[in-house]
Amino acid sequence: DAFDILTSAETEFIKIINESRTAKEEIWKKLKNASDNKYVICAGSRHMGLFENVGLISDHAYSIMNIYDINYKRKNLRLIKLRNPWGEIEFNGDWSDKSEKWNDELKRLVQFEGVKDDGIFYMSYDDFIGYFKSVEILKMREGYEIIASCKISKKEAYKCQMLILVINEDKKHLIINLYQKNPRIIRKNGTYFPEPVKSFIILAKINEDGNYIYIKSIYYSC
């Protein structure tokens, strides 16, 4: 939600619930693609009381700084560089700052900056899947811009409303977002109020003859 509201850019939320080989490969491809495109990537740790033993914080947000797919001594090594936004408290397992798995060559390949209490650490992809429950990717590209925005007023007399978007430039990608006020910021008698509006959105293109060409539709209910 924060990514969406602050940037209006496309975001992707990935739940890590299936640890099958196929699911892990699919998530890895998305992470690598996001890193290669220099997207902003965050990850949420799982809720586990044992996290303090490995230096992770339960139900906590981390930044993913880089993804490494290294072919080392005929073996494939997948590492993830993360940062605790607190700037301290780091993972202490395999591939952490003081891990015995490091050597000079591997440190050079990942630009290892030495043992520091700065919140930055590395871990294997397998450990990442085990300790983290979600990934959020902000697909913000260079040259991205907000063309227009408007507020849609609630009209009780109408069951649906229509907005016409006029695009004067040739755009390869166009993202349309619809937001409604989060019910958590409107309280009544100590409870959240009101309930979010159920949305059914139909996207269509208007031809010069005034006819509509259907493009896509989506139904959303919180």
Side-chain angles (χ1 to χ4, degrees):
D1 289 345
F3 281 161
D4 282 342
I5 294 168
L6 288 172
T7 69
S8 293
E10 181 183 359
T11 59
E12 182 175 5
F13 177 80
I14 304 170
K15 277 189 177 181
I16 305 175
I17 55 176
N18 186 344
E19 297 181 18
S20 68
R21 182 175 180 179
T22 302
K24 287 169 66 175
E25 285 298 315
E26 187 62 31
I27 294 173
W28 176 257
K29 288 178 182 178
K30 290 185 176 183
L31 285 172
K32 192 68 174 65
N33 178 69
S35 179
D36 291 344
N37 281 286
K38 301 187 184 302
Y39 292 149
V40 176
I41 318 172
C42 293
S45 60
R46 297 183 187 275
H47 179 72
M48 294 178 63
L50 297 176
F51 270 16
E52 289 77 9
N53 296 332
V54 296
L56 293 176
I57 300 168
S58 181
D59 283 326
H60 189 56
Y62 289 82
S63 301
I64 294 182
M65 302 180 67
N66 215 331
I67 307 290
Y68 300 93
D69 197 348
I70 302 170
N71 189 350
Y72 182 72
K73 292 185 176 180
R74 297 182 180 181
K75 292 184 179 180
N76 184 241
L77 178 60
R78 293 176 170 179
L79 296 178
I80 297 181
K81 183 179 181 180
L82 299 102
R83 182 180 184 272
N84 182 348
W86 291 355
E88 58 181 0
I89 307 178
E90 301 175 10
F91 178 63
N92 56 34
D94 289 345
W95 303 105
S96 60
D97 283 6
K98 298 179 180 180
S99 172
E100 296 180 354
K101 289 183 173 292
W102 290 111
N103 59 39
D104 291 340
E105 183 179 356
L106 286 172
K107 287 181 179 180
R108 178 183 57 80
L109 290 173
V110 301
Q111 299 87 45
F112 185 86
E113 297 179 3
V115 179
K116 300 178 183 178
D117 186 19
D118 54 4
I120 297 174
F121 58 91
Y122 298 79
M123 67 166 48
S124 70
Y125 178 57
D126 285 339
D127 280 345
F128 175 81
I129 289 294
Y131 289 124
F132 285 82
K133 63 181 179 181
S134 64
V135 172
E136 299 85 32
I137 301 172
L138 171 63
K139 299 181 179 180
M140 190 79 174
R141 293 180 179 275
E142 185 178 353
Y144 175 87
E145 60 178 332
I146 298 175
I147 297 176
S149 63
C150 67
K151 183 177 180 179
I152 303 175
S153 299
K154 186 177 181 181
K155 297 179 180 179
E156 299 291 348
Y158 300 97
K159 292 185 177 181
C160 66
Q161 296 189 50
M162 180 182 294
L163 294 176
I164 297 178
L165 308 178
V166 180
I167 303 170
N168 295 318
E169 299 179 27
D170 184 20
K171 299 290 183 181
K172 292 183 179 180
H173 301 283
L174 182 66
I175 301 168
I176 300 174
N177 290 330
L178 178 65
Y179 303 102
Q180 55 183 301
K181 190 173 291 185
N182 195 305
R184 289 183 293 179
I185 67 173
I186 308 174
R187 294 177 181 271
K188 183 177 182 181
N189 300 326
T191 60
Y192 298 138
F193 181 87
E195 289 295 323
V197 177
K198 294 180 180 180
S199 304
F200 187 85
I201 303 170
I202 301 174
L203 183 64
K205 181 180 179 181
I206 306 177
N207 278 343
E208 293 181 358
D209 59 8
N211 291 321
Y212 295 91
I213 298 177
Y214 170 83
I215 297 176
K216 190 175 183 180
S217 61
I218 185 171
Y219 173 77
Y220 179 77
S221 177
C222 291

